[in-house]
Amino acid sequence: AAGDLGAAPNAALLLAYPAASRPLLDAALSDSSPDRRTAAALLLGLMGFPEAGPVLAEAVRGREWDEGWNYRGMGQSGASMSRLDALVLALARTGDPSAAPVVAEKIRALDGKAAFSHCRVAAVAAALLPGLGGELARLFREPGMAGHAVIDAAAAVRRANGEVNETAARNLSLREI
């Protein structure tokens, strides 16, 4: 029970067996270590258990957006979301009604230069929690967020840069989707 809940092998086992792991994770929600509480809440939230909502809301509320992640094409490796992205996703998956205002605040903090992973998690959260559609619409009205659809080959050639594995245009298009 004292193991690192966030270590990949441990998290994989806990997520694979939600019924068996839930008592351990529920107990960790009241642990004296904030890191252990947050790790347990993250896993419970990803599994959709609402009791993780208050701990996740506190963790999300207390963090500024981090660097995030942008599409890299052939340079893809590792995680494709940041720690805060994962916490926001887990909070939204709890379905806790008090999650929407916390997530709305995070979406309001994004602008037209936001990382793809932040935009993606905002869209997923808006699909999971009622009342976030307006915040998402506001984000996509920000300068630089829209107009990246490439509808013909000539447009793709005009937008391409000199990189062999050009990903800038694709990242902007994915962010808009």
Side-chain angles (χ1 to χ4, degrees):
D4 179 2
L5 298 175
N10 296 343
L13 282 170
L14 292 165
L15 289 168
Y17 300 98
S21 64
R22 190 169 181 186
L24 167 74
L25 294 172
D26 283 342
L29 281 179
S30 58
D31 197 281
S32 61
S33 162
D35 289 341
R36 188 162 172 83
R37 265 195 320 274
T38 301
L42 175 63
L43 293 168
L44 284 165
L46 291 173
M47 289 187 263
F49 294 125
E51 63 270 19
V55 174
L56 288 167
E58 180 183 331
V60 168
R61 199 178 293 111
R63 288 182 164 90
E64 297 294 320
W65 280 114
D66 47 25
E67 182 179 346
W69 178 85
N70 284 310
Y71 175 77
R72 292 185 191 77
M74 296 183 78
Q76 168 79 26
S77 63
S80 60
M81 68 170 42
S82 70
R83 176 71 170 174
L84 184 54
D85 293 328
L87 291 168
V88 170
L89 175 62
L91 177 58
R93 286 186 50 80
T94 67
D96 182 347
S98 66
V102 176
V103 175
E105 182 180 318
K106 286 297 173 223
I107 295 173
R108 280 192 295 275
L110 296 173
D111 62 18
K113 295 180 178 143
F116 166 62
S117 67
H118 299 337
C119 295
R120 179 182 55 200
V121 81
V124 171
L128 293 169
L129 295 169
L132 294 178
E135 296 299 337
L136 198 59
R138 185 224 42 92
L139 172 60
F140 285 98
R141 286 191 300 269
E142 286 282 318
M145 284 299 295
H148 301 292
V150 179
I151 57 174
D152 62 54
V157 170
R158 282 192 306 275
R159 289 183 176 194
N161 61 31
E163 296 177 32
V164 173
N165 296 312
E166 197 278 329
T167 59
R170 255 184 295 179
N171 188 64
L172 291 172
S173 295
L174 286 169
R175 192 177 65 160
E176 184 177 359
I177 291 172

